[in-house]
Amino acid sequence: MGLEKTFVMLKPSTVARAMIGKVICRIEDKGLKIVAMKLTCIAKEEAAELYAVHKGKPFYDALVQFITSGPIVAMVIEGDEAVKVMRKFIGATNSKEAEAGTIRGDFALSNQKNVIHASDSVENAKMEMEIFFAPEEILSYKRADDNWIY
Ligand code: CMP
């Protein structure tokens, strides 16, 4: 089993639409474990760090504006191959093209306001979670259903 941690963020549109619970429910139902979580606002500098790979793209300025426009929920999610599993589970970036059954496929219509972000690699997950969490904020604990998930 390859236990991994990934960084997940519920975007300002998700908080504004009062959909935090619905999305978290999906993540927990899948068997993934929340090991860190906070409701917070992203500073422009943090947004620039998080989205550094998109700098220069036509949608970059609008993306930074959007992601800093209101509270987000930052999380670290743990599970077997959590990076790959979360990426598959959230669906394609453009919510209109995301498969039904995925989080974006079920909850959004937008390319930008696409509900949720999840890291695309183990390396990026590490870098992204370090933007939002101190090491001691990422917890390790047993859940009652741990033995039944794997
Ligand atoms: P995310 O998974 O957070 O990674 C980068 C974000 O940029 C992406 O989700 C979208 O919110 C946004 N994005 C990517 N491509 C486009 C696009 N073509 N138009 C608008 N926003 C985009």
Side-chain angles (χ1 to χ4, degrees), residues 87-102:
R87 287 290 289 192
K88 188 161 180 211
F89 198 48
I90 68 174
T93 302
N94 187 341
S95 309
K96 284 192 286 295
E97 283 157 23
E99 296 283 339
T102 64

Side-chain angles (χ1 to χ4, degrees), residues 11 51 54 59 63 93 104 111-112 114 117:
K11 299 190 178 186
Y51 286 130
H54 297 296
F59 59 85
L63 175 62
T93 302
R104 288 166 173 168
N111 213 352
Q112 182 194 68
N114 58 0
H117 165 87

Side-chain angles (χ1 to χ4, degrees), residues 25-91:
C25 203
R26 291 280 188 105
I27 294 169
E28 290 194 315
D29 283 353
K30 179 72 178 166
L32 294 161
K33 188 189 283 185
I34 299 166
V35 293
M37 179 161 70
K38 62 175 74 160
L39 178 72
T40 186
C41 288
I42 306 192
K44 288 257 190 275
E45 304 72 51
E46 288 170 331
E49 238 184 300
L50 183 66
Y51 286 130
V53 291
H54 297 296
K55 198 166 169 58
K57 293 185 184 168
F59 59 85
Y60 177 79
D61 289 344
L63 175 62
V64 171
Q65 170 63 33
F66 163 59
I67 219 69
T68 58
S69 67
I72 57 98
V73 177
M75 290 186 271
V76 178
I77 301 294
E78 186 182 79
D80 191 13
E81 296 189 48
V83 172
K84 188 177 80 186
V85 168
M86 264 315 299
R87 287 290 289 192
K88 188 161 180 211
F89 198 48
I90 68 174

